[in-house]
Amino acid sequence: MHRSFTLLVMCAALSVSGCGRGKTDDRDARLRQAGPNPSFAALMRVASADAGAAKFGQCAACHTIEDGGMDRGGPNLFGVFKKPFATNSASFGYTAALSKAGGVWDEKTLNAWIAGPSALVPGTSMQFAGVSDPLDRADIIAYLRRQRPAK
């Protein structure tokens, strides 16, 4: 089976499995705190990096997140928050589309990317349908934001 198809199937299976919802994620309480029809900013205020760590499992099929971690089907994501697109790994072969897109991995761009990579950067090779739940995306972003080198 082709490697990228295998990775896509793994990512999809993890996404559908609903992994990451457990005792560390009082989802309903956080949603109530965010208010009715919450904006992305409101969801980021209640986002949980701990819940995001569990939800990152669907990303871990293709990405590592440890300081100095290796690239897999996608680049290592440690320290990606606030970095320019296509710069987090010196050894990963980013697509021309992502390299030329210009941008910084902040909350807004990560939210759009995690929702649907090809919608943000047409021509990207990342074959991932995206995370449809906005609170799940906010949690993953909070987790990515926490993964940075010590100062």
Side-chain angles (χ1 to χ4, degrees):
M1 195 179 297
H2 191 266
R3 180 177 175 221
S4 63
F5 179 76
T6 303
L7 291 173
L8 175 63
V9 170
M10 288 172 49
C11 288
L14 286 168
S15 179
V16 171
S17 72
C19 65
R21 292 205 175 122
K23 294 179 182 176
T24 62
D25 183 10
D26 188 355
R27 179 179 184 78
D28 292 337
R30 293 188 299 125
L31 283 171
R32 282 191 302 275
Q33 186 180 359
N37 301 312
S39 66
F40 176 66
L43 291 172
M44 284 306 302
R45 283 192 293 277
V46 299
S48 165
D50 291 338
K55 293 169 187 170
F56 187 82
Q58 61 189 305
C59 309
C62 304
H63 298 279
T64 59
I65 190 81
E66 307 84 36
D67 190 5
M70 63 182 228
D71 298 329
R72 290 186 183 157
N76 178 300
L77 296 179
F78 183 83
V80 73
F81 192 77
K82 294 292 185 178
K83 281 198 172 173
F85 289 1
T87 64
N88 207 53
S89 171
S91 60
F92 187 76
Y94 295 99
T95 61
L98 186 61
S99 296
K100 293 178 182 176
V104 172
W105 293 119
D106 58 16
E107 283 122 352
K108 181 180 176 185
T109 56
L110 282 166
N111 184 50
W113 180 263
I114 296 168
S118 61
L120 179 65
V121 180
T124 183
S125 64
M126 185 168 168
Q127 300 297 311
F128 179 65
V131 174
S132 60
D133 186 284
L135 182 58
D136 288 351
R137 291 194 307 268
D139 290 341
I140 292 167
I141 293 164
Y143 176 65
L144 289 171
R145 188 175 50 202
R146 187 170 75 182
Q147 305 308 309
R148 59 179 171 230
K151 293 183 180 183

